[in-house]
Amino acid sequence: MQLSGQNRRFLFLQGPHGPFFHRLGKMLRAAGAEVWRMGFNRGDRAFWLNDISYIPFKGSLADWPAAIRQLLTRHRITDIVLYGDTRPLHAEAIAAARAAGIEVHVFEEGYLRPYWVTYERGGSNGNSRLMQMSVAQMQKALEGLDIDLPDAPARWGDMRQHMFWGALYHWFVLTGFWDYRGYRPHRSLSVRQEFWLYVKRLALLPLHRWERMLATLRIKHGGFPYHLVLLQLEHDASFQMHSPFKTMTEFLALVIEGFAKGASPHHHIVFKAHPLEDGRVAVAREIRRLAKHHGVSARVHFVRGGKLAGLLNHARSAITVNSTAAQQVLWRGLPLKTFGAAVYAKPEFVSTQSLQDFFIQPSRPDSRAYRDYRHYLLETSQIPGGFYSARGRRELLRQVVDMMLLPQDPYDALSSGKAAPRQQLRVVN
């Protein structure tokens, strides 16, 4: 079957920071499709280099529902493309697209990080089709496939680029405010605050690196058993929309209390911050306060970002709300306790124990079933590459356009035997 974009009209909304969406639109155009980009601020405009196809939206959020419906009709849109499905602008666009029978292409950070990104249709994370799939259904879809897929390197590969593009994006938004006066960010902080947090994070990278090295050495040479807590960004959509917590402090309080009551007195607990933690929430200070309150300060550690693999190598178990980093926990066969909705939160993998009982004697995952689950993801929604580095974008674009042009989504395409050929990842250390 020849894949073609003829008679397809794609509307791009907000994407990951940087040039990925522009490059993707250019390739879809080369495949024969019409491509449009809706921009909501000067940052969106800066990274879309095709003037003719750019459509500025300068109204308010209240104007958006009517505007998106009119736009879909006027341009006879067949597909919309977006990054993340929970921000208000995107949620409204998805509702309008579904009502009109329009295909929704959703990009997200990889469920299997660090060297993959996620591509699904209709929704991602808590809105993904994976939430309703059982492991048995995935195993059935894999029948007849016998490919030993290599593991990813234990590194992001483009974290600095991620931070650079984020800072540049917010700089454009900040300096072009007067052109888009109706724009409001989907997070609680102002654009100016977001920009300075990115700048501050970039400037403090050397200091944080030394702080992280010292904390990691203390843990590595401490000789004590420890449990690892995978922290997330409080403002992240998965934390806010698909978990029982509204603040990180609520989660920290629950975990430290459970540790104080359930863990053996010679056990320690290590809180690992998200690599993009920028200080908008005083996570380290809250951990110290709660540890002191429960009398466990000497057994509580905080690591600011960095690589996860080294800490997992000696951990007894792991706890998280619904971080995608938990996939690395399961890959190693470590016990895992979660609190939010996640695509990997299957009964075969995550513990159903109370937190106190989990610290006493955690139950282990079914590692054989998890390998099948991971294989299923690598054959469907996980695409080698990344949004932020040039190398990552090249890897990603080699496959994703074919997947977008197929009539079926990645999950149905695999089950029907019509999936686009997959390029196997070759790990280079």
Side-chain angles (χ1 to χ4, degrees):
M1 178 181 68
Q2 184 185 55
L3 295 176
S4 171
Q6 290 185 358
N7 301 318
R8 303 280 291 274
R9 289 170 289 277
F10 288 82
L11 175 66
F12 281 61
L13 299 182
Q14 290 190 298
H17 301 146
F20 171 68
F21 261 21
H22 169 72
R23 293 282 307 278
L24 177 60
K26 185 177 179 180
M27 192 168 287
L28 283 168
R29 204 175 289 116
E34 290 184 29
V35 179
W36 303 88
R37 172 67 190 266
M38 173 65 78
F40 302 89
N41 56 57
R42 184 66 70 84
D44 294 339
R45 179 68 187 89
F47 295 122
W48 189 262
L49 305 182
N50 187 290
D51 295 341
I52 297 174
S53 61
Y54 181 76
I55 305 171
F57 175 75
K58 299 187 178 183
S60 67
L61 186 59
D63 301 326
W64 176 239
I68 184 59
R69 289 193 295 270
Q70 292 171 7
L71 186 70
L72 295 176
T73 301
R74 183 167 66 249
H75 290 280
R76 295 179 297 137
I77 299 299
T78 62
D79 303 75
I80 65 171
V81 186
L82 45 84
Y83 171 73
D85 62 350
T86 58
R87 63 184 70 180
L89 290 168
H90 287 177
E92 190 64 48
I94 290 172
R98 285 175 176 162
I102 292 170
E103 193 74 80
V104 178
H105 305 262
V106 182
F107 285 90
E108 255 295 357
E109 304 294 341
Y111 294 147
L112 299 177
R113 298 182 187 180
Y115 205 68
W116 288 276
V117 304
T118 298
Y119 164 71
E120 296 179 281
R121 298 195 189 175
S124 63
N125 291 312
N127 297 321
S128 168
R129 284 186 60 189
L130 291 169
M131 298 297 295
Q132 281 71 51
M133 290 187 201
S134 68
V135 175
Q137 289 173 312
M138 298 177 189
Q139 290 169 329
K140 180 174 177 59
L142 289 171
E143 290 177 357
L145 293 177
D146 187 21
I147 301 174
D148 185 17
L149 294 170
D151 194 16
R155 55 185 172 84
W156 273 90
D158 57 0
M159 182 58 67
R160 288 184 180 85
Q161 291 94 327
H162 189 165
M163 295 167 64
F164 168 77
W165 290 120
L168 187 59
Y169 175 86
H170 284 93
W171 167 253
F172 281 121
V173 175
L174 183 63
T175 57
F177 172 77
W178 296 108
D179 288 345
Y180 295 85
R181 300 187 189 187
Y183 174 71
R184 296 293 181 272
H186 62 283
R187 292 170 179 162
S188 59
L189 295 186
S190 69
V191 174
R192 184 182 298 274
Q193 290 172 314
E194 288 271 4
F195 169 71
W196 285 113
L197 282 172
Y198 271 101
V199 172
K200 179 182 176 182
R201 175 73 174 139
L202 283 167
L204 291 177
L205 274 177
L207 176 63
H208 289 167
R209 186 180 299 112
W210 280 104
E211 180 183 337
R212 181 170 62 248
M213 288 173 58
L214 291 174
T216 304
L217 284 172
R218 284 195 293 267
I219 296 164
K220 181 179 179 180
H221 297 290
F224 45 75
Y226 63 85
H227 309 269
L228 185 61
V229 183
L230 308 178
L231 297 178
Q232 296 163 246
L233 301 176
E234 184 181 272
H235 58 272
D236 182 74
S238 292
F239 186 91
Q240 289 295 325
M241 305 298 292
H242 303 301
S243 88
F245 309 107
K246 288 301 179 185
T247 68
M248 185 57 65
T249 297
E250 294 176 11
F251 172 63
L252 296 174
L254 180 69
V255 171
I256 293 177
E257 181 181 12
F259 173 76
K261 291 180 177 179
S264 298
H266 63 290
H267 282 207
H268 289 226
I269 189 167
V270 176
F271 290 85
K272 183 192 176 298
H274 189 280
L276 291 175
E277 183 59 61
D278 54 19
R280 72 184 66 191
V281 176
V283 175
R285 186 179 67 194
E286 282 297 285
I287 290 172
R288 289 193 299 269
R289 180 183 67 82
L290 291 164
K292 182 179 180 181
H293 175 74
H294 289 283
V296 291
S297 295
R299 299 158 56 203
V300 175
H301 309 263
F302 175 74
V303 178
R304 192 184 295 274
K307 297 179 181 180
L308 177 59
L311 291 172
L312 281 176
N313 287 340
H314 305 288
R316 296 290 295 272
S317 69
I319 303 99
T320 190
V321 177
N322 53 7
S323 171
T324 56
Q327 300 265 11
Q328 295 188 47
V329 177
L330 294 172
W331 179 242
R332 286 166 171 78
L334 293 174
L336 176 66
K337 176 69 177 174
T338 63
F339 292 90
V343 295
Y344 57 79
K346 307 296 183 185
E348 294 89 345
F349 309 147
V350 302
S351 172
T352 58
Q353 299 166 282
S354 70
L355 187 57
Q356 186 172 340
D357 288 343
F358 181 81
F359 279 118
I360 295 172
Q361 187 63 50
S363 57
R364 299 186 64 175
D366 182 340
S367 294
R368 186 169 298 177
Y370 178 73
R371 288 178 182 271
D372 290 336
Y373 167 86
R374 184 176 182 276
H375 188 179
Y376 181 79
L377 262 61
L378 290 173
E379 291 288 349
T380 53
S381 61
Q382 303 305 290
I383 312 175
F387 298 124
Y388 307 106
S389 69
R391 179 185 173 223
R393 288 191 295 273
R394 287 194 299 268
E395 284 296 324
L396 182 51
L397 288 167
R398 287 189 175 103
Q399 278 189 220
V400 72
V401 175
D402 284 3
M403 296 175 69
M404 294 176 72
L405 293 176
L406 280 173
Q408 302 103 333
D409 77 0
Y411 306 120
D412 289 335
L414 179 65
S415 297
S416 66
K418 297 179 180 179
R422 301 306 296 267
Q423 173 188 345
Q424 301 307 316
L425 176 65
R426 295 290 175 254
V427 175
V428 179
N429 292 320

